[in-house]
């Protein structure tokens, strides 16, 4: 049975955590919005469809309209209503996250709109990526998402195996090691990332519980199927999101779980926090909520739980006969 847990309902279950989420979202949203307006102010008289990256331009313009800092003109350009003032930052998690995210908007947004996005080709890019992902705020959200998604009995099993699909440099892998007793198989296409995973696990004295597999989400193969596969904010990094979900589920035992924590574009609004990841070189913007659930269901997976907590968290069951 699917459980839809909004922030309001979450507040009834865990008031302190819900308040932390709400305050953090307010501070981060306000600061990033102010930076976005600062960078775009000289450019918004240009129609969104005149930018080479039309998808990004339309989304960014929608953010400004949704946040009531601008309004549409008939030609697809914007007129600014007012320049928002950045809020005071009180939460250390937000203070730790903002510098990298704001830097990405300041240094990369116009280039991206012009179709000149950078990818993982130099140390600077890798450093920016690491700074964006390894901060108090995102690490806290990562652990919260996994603690909500993973069934308690799975977390307690020492013989369980969890595949961390798109492990990157090991932050999600270490979170899984800390939250469970399972063996964690880190899956990533970059050899250097897998070396990071092994080194990071060794620092945490958990190297004996980590294995690594080189491969993309769309084509990796495990020697034996896992009890659960976890996909943490990787859908927008996949060249074929549908195939990535299909393949992750195919590497899970029949009756096992696929746990997805994913930023989504809300059909009713726009979230400025989605922009930094795209500026890092993600192949696409995140899916809408409807698109994410459609892809999951098209693979024959049964959605057991769904949480809307600073992103969409989905726990889906792999059919007993497998995928």
């Amino acid at each position: 049975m699917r459980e839809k847990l909004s922030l309001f309902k979450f507040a009834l279950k865990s008031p302190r955590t819900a308040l932390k989420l709400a305050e953090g979202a307010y501070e981060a949203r306000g600061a990033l919005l102010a930076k976005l307006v600062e960078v775009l102010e000289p450019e918004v008289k240009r129609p969104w469809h005149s930018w080479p990256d039309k998808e990004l331009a339309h989304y960014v313009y929608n953010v400004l309209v949704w946040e009531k800092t601008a309004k549409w003109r008939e030609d697809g350009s914007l007129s600014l209503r007012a320049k928002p003032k950045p809020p005071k930052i009180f939460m250390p998690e937000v203070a730790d996250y903002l510098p990298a995210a704001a830097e990405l908007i300041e240094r990369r947004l116009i280039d991206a709109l012009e179709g000149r996005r950078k990818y993982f080709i130099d140390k600077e890019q890798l450093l920016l990526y690491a700074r964006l992902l390894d901060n108090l705020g995102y690490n806290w959200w990562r652990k919260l998402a996994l603690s909500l998604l993973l069934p308690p009995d799975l977390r307690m099993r020492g013989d369980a195996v969890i595949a961390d699909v798109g492990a990157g440099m090991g932050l999600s892998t270490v979170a899984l090691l800390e939250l469970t007793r399972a063996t964690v198989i880190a899956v990533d296409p970059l050899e250097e990332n897998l070396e990071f995973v092994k080194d990071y696990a060794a620092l945490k004295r958990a190297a004996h519980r980590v294995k690594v597999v080189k491969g993309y989400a769309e084509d990796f193969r495990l020697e034996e199927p896992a009890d659960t596969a976890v996909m943490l904010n990787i859908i927008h990094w996949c060249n074929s999101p549908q195939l990535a979900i299909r393949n992750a589920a195919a590497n899970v035992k029949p009756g096992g779980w696929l746990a997805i924590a994913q930023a989504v574009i809300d059909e009713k609004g726009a979230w400025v926090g989605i922009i930094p990841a795209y500026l890092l070189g993600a192949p696409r913007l995140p899916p809408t909520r409807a698109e994410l659930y459609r892809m999951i269901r098209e693979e024959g997976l049964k959605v057991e739980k769904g949480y809307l907590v600073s992103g969409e968290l989905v726990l889906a069951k792999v059919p007993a006969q497998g995928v």
Side-chain angles (χ1 to χ4, degrees):
M1 181 177 182
R2 183 174 180 237
E3 176 187 356
K4 188 64 177 179
L5 187 62
S6 66
L7 186 58
F8 174 74
K9 291 182 179 178
F10 192 57
L12 300 178
K13 291 192 171 188
S14 181
R16 183 175 297 179
T17 302
L19 181 62
K20 190 174 183 180
L21 280 165
E23 290 180 348
Y26 171 79
E27 292 182 2
R29 192 177 199 129
L32 291 179
L33 181 64
K35 176 59 67 175
L36 192 64
V37 171
E38 175 189 323
V39 172
L40 281 177
E41 186 177 9
E43 309 289 346
V44 293
K45 293 182 179 179
R46 179 174 174 178
W48 69 267
H49 48 77
S50 69
W51 291 98
D53 192 333
K54 294 178 176 59
E55 182 183 24
L56 175 62
H58 191 256
Y59 184 76
V60 168
Y61 279 29
N62 269 325
V63 168
L64 297 182
V65 172
W66 177 257
E67 296 286 358
K68 296 181 172 57
T69 60
K71 58 183 179 180
W72 288 109
R73 290 173 167 164
E74 290 185 1
D75 65 352
S77 64
L78 296 179
S79 60
L80 288 177
R81 290 180 168 180
K83 293 179 66 175
K85 294 181 180 179
K88 292 183 178 179
I89 306 301
F90 297 101
M91 296 188 64
E93 292 89 351
V94 177
D96 199 24
Y97 161 79
L98 279 177
E103 183 179 356
L104 280 163
I105 291 175
E106 183 173 352
R107 294 173 54 189
R108 304 286 176 99
L109 179 60
I110 300 302
D111 278 348
L113 289 167
E114 293 286 5
R116 299 191 299 269
R117 279 195 300 152
K118 290 185 177 181
Y119 296 86
F120 292 105
I121 56 175
D122 54 32
K123 290 183 179 179
E124 178 192 23
Q125 186 75 359
L126 286 170
L127 180 61
L128 278 170
Y129 184 63
R131 285 178 59 197
L132 187 69
L133 293 186
D134 189 11
N135 60 78
L136 294 174
Y138 193 48
N139 286 331
W140 178 79
W141 178 84
R142 182 187 288 116
K143 289 185 179 179
L144 172 65
L146 292 172
S147 65
L148 286 170
L149 285 174
L150 298 178
D153 58 335
L154 175 75
R155 292 170 60 181
M156 295 300 295
R157 283 176 47 200
D159 64 339
V161 176
I162 300 175
D164 181 15
V165 183
M169 291 172 283
L171 296 167
S172 52
T173 302
V174 169
L176 286 166
L177 291 171
E178 293 175 347
L179 286 168
T180 76
R181 298 178 180 177
T183 295
V184 181
I185 303 177
V187 180
D188 199 86
L190 299 180
E191 191 70 47
E192 53 267 40
N193 278 351
L194 297 177
E195 291 300 319
F196 275 125
V197 170
K198 290 187 284 188
D199 291 343
Y200 203 176
L203 285 174
K204 295 290 184 176
R205 298 182 179 179
H208 62 289
R209 291 171 51 205
V210 172
K211 298 179 181 179
V212 297
V213 170
K214 185 177 180 180
Y216 290 92
E218 295 92 333
D219 63 11
F220 77 93
R221 286 288 180 272
L222 302 182
E223 292 182 1
E224 298 290 339
D227 295 282
T228 297
V230 170
M231 304 176 76
L232 204 155
N233 257 344
I234 70 160
I235 297 295
H236 52 295
W237 287 96
C238 297
N239 289 318
S240 178
Q242 185 79 59
L243 182 56
I245 291 173
R246 181 182 310 159
N247 189 55
N251 281 277
V252 173
K253 295 175 182 177
W257 302 97
L258 177 62
I260 298 175
Q262 177 62 44
V264 294
I265 296 175
D266 192 331
E267 296 89 337
K268 297 180 180 179
W271 163 229
V272 65
I274 283 173
I275 296 170
Y278 188 75
L279 299 181
L280 278 169
R284 64 191 73 251
L285 287 168
T288 65
R289 184 168 291 108
E291 288 171 340
L292 177 61
Y293 279 97
R294 175 187 55 77
M295 288 188 288
I296 292 169
R297 291 191 173 104
E298 284 185 356
E299 299 310 319
L301 305 174
K302 181 182 178 183
V303 175
E304 295 284 340
K305 292 183 180 180
Y307 302 96
L308 174 55
V309 184
S310 295
E312 195 71 16
L313 315 182
V314 186
L315 182 67
K317 196 169 188 64
V318 175
Q321 70 274 18
V323 175

